[in-house]
Amino acid sequence: MPLFTLNINNKEHRIDVAKGTSLLWVLREHLGLTGTKYSCGIAQCGACTVHIDNAPMKACVLPIDSFADGQRITTIEGLSEKGDHPVQKAWIEAQAPQCGYCQSGQIMQAVALLEENPNPTREEIKEYMNGILCRCGTYLRIVKAIELAAENKTPIT
Amino acid sequence: MKTATKHSSRREFLKTSSGVALFIGVSGILPQLVSCKKTDKVRAQLAKHELTAWVRITEEGEITIYNPAAEMGQGSMTSLPVLFAEEMDADWSKVKVEFSPQEVEIYGSEGWAPGSKLMFTVGSRTTKSNYPVMRKAGAQARHVLMYSAAKHWNVPISELTTANSNVIHEPTHRELSYGALVPFLKMPDILPDFTEDQYKNPKDYKLVGKRIPRTEIPVKVNGTAQFAIDIRLPNMVYGVLERGNLHGSQPTLNNQTEILALEGVLKVIPFDYAIGITATTLEAALNAKKRLKIDWSESQATGYNSQEIYHDYEKIADSKKNGKIITEQGDVKKAMRTAAKTYRTDFKNDYVYHAQMEPLNAVIQVSAYFNSAEVWVGSQQGTDTKLGVPKLLNIAPENVNVHLQYLGGGFGRRSMNDFVEECALLAKEMAPRPVKLIWTREDDVTHGAFRPLTLQRLTASTDKDGAITGLSHFVIGDGGNLVASGIKNHHYNIPNQWAEWRETSHGVRLKHWRSVGHGTNKFAIECLLDEIAMDQGADPIELRRKLMVKSPRALATLEKATEISDWNGPEKAGRAKGVAFAEHGSLGTGVCEISVDQKTGKIKVHRFWVALDAGVIVQPDNVKAQMEGGLIMGMSSVLKEQITIVDGRVQQSNFDDYQLLRMEDIPESIETALIPSTSIPEGVGETATPLVACAIANAFLRLTGKPLRHLPFTPERVLAVLNG
């Protein structure tokens, strides 16, 4: 099997897998980075959202052989060392998760949103987050968490 | 590598720690106190009743409380330990929570039959059923600590008090922390039972009823919360099954040799209804699954078309032949005969699918000698806490260890353990290598177990004053209680009532789906009430006010919902409000405000209000979260979700053709008012969802004068009603 090299959370990983294997299976089953979740496999739900060079992408439809040298992959595990990224803190403040399964994808999408647009309107939040499904129905608290984390809102204590 | 070895790490902890395990067992197990320094005694106790403790205290004062319920987002990892810690007077900042072992005799709470025991996270029973268990165990833990301090200081126990993990002897100004008491702990001969007046006075509560952040949320925002699908074990292999989309069909595999020759494939394992494959990697297993060439037999479902069945159901409703009678109160026939007016309406609902975000999966390892098994699973547990594995593999139940993991959604799907049994059979074939079975989303949809399709025929009678005197309700569909639950009207003063279930059967797999029959029965009942109100020119709230005359708690939720929604206030142009009441343990009245796009038929829900009486509220913010989640899941199912069957085959397969509500369609706000109460807690997880269909339809009726009677209210259906 071919050997691939990926930069994940600022660390080089050499991975021996079949060509065409999705980044999601590489992360979860080969590297043990299980914070990124499988749910649909066809880029419809966003549970597997990671950052590729800071842009949110759905790992389930990215074959490992599609990465160029030097591309940086960030997963929920690489977002902060102690789970204290401002967005993660806002998520706790809003008590956003219920079952929690979709929340890594939600948080990765929200971080990308706020990096792109530090003061999103509610409509902009809804539009940007629309690709990430939550079955428990935590959407209102996700919006609240993003508003808490946004620069124009009360700082999180 | 992450592995789920909590079980053995607990043992390790006991052997090396200086703490004690406080074994306050129930069900005939004598209370035991074993110092962890005496490792032989710990081992002896563990051998008898492995980990029977509800709580463990270390000399450093760290307190571990065991949660006997599944955690699927409803908050059991906090609500149950909060009840325990409150009565124990524990310092919450020092509390850690772990899942208890899956041993029903020790950790079970009373089931539906008096005296029975269950570990079963279904029917919104977690808080209600464990309320007496956790309070009593917590109070007993406190009693042990006080008893030990009394002996240590040689003072009467009656002179002692506790506060925040300290035992205090005020007369001598002495104080010992729970941790410092550990070396002096003694077990009293008798552990008292407690009556209500011996529990903590609610005015002294520090945890119950307060905003306590949920204990498991930090791991759910940093990616470390462990779901069964995240388990990885040395030498683990992967299993997948191809089950087809015709339920009950039997496969004939035509290319086994080709499949076995594929890279990474280990075994092909036939099931009655599926072909199983094990492989060294997940991608190899999935690749092989795609290449299977299978002929499928016909089944009971062959020839069944779900969208055409309603005509047959109408004939069953017309029939004189009774089904199973559920409610027989007064004389409905006489009420109809003597009525000033009668109303007859049919309501329909299509199938819906659970769509829990974590597809079904399990990891199981069977020992080399086939005499023990380790099971890692996200399950809502069951009447058999070992999830059918002992019987299936002929292994003694005590040798099957179930390691419960967080559930990536349950909603009733994970109270069916078909996926655990599949994984057990694969693991037996691969023993002693552990097997991770994963259902793809396509498997999860096509081999789903749906909320049944039904037709409901309601007939109501009113007298000359317009009062409702009789209500007859036939539900036609498959699944018994799956379609019949919620058909009773405990809170409406209608003197003559009749309800019956008329059975059908199509061979389609069915299962409890959040709020079960309540979702569809309340839709029919509450919509009929509003159709009557409209006919009478009456206000829907006023009509319900009269019906709730004998049910003050239900009425209080109605009045509160009227108030917070400003029901009588002015309405924005193009919008209308609708009301509905539902009971599912707790009592709730919901009001929503909607508008309709007349061109597209799309319904927009702007705001939702709920007033809820759930007895004692253990975690108010979490109850609000359950209302929000229940309503949004309700909106999703009511406005979008639909499984259809053509010639027995499930037509949907993933989130592209089975649409869930997305962020773009959320309401502006959901406001919940909690009615203060000292009654025992009632379940809150399934009261909000059944409010949605009827509140939306009732708002639509007030907005347009036209009824919506067929779920889901897709834009096409809404347009057809608008133009009809």
Side-chain angles (χ1 to χ4, degrees), chain A residues 30-47:
Chain A
H30 293 275
L31 300 175
L33 293 167
T34 54
T36 306
K37 300 304 187 200
Y38 163 67
S39 185
C40 75
I42 56 166
Q44 286 288 314
C45 78

Side-chain angles (χ1 to χ4, degrees), chain B residues 37 44 147 163 169 213 223 227 311 351 363 387 401 426 431 520 651 665 707:
Chain B
K37 286 174 184 160
Y147 174 85
H169 187 241
F227 300 84
H311 298 296
Y351 294 102
V363 178
L387 309 174
N401 238 322
L426 297 181
T520 49
Q651 298 299 296
D665 289 323

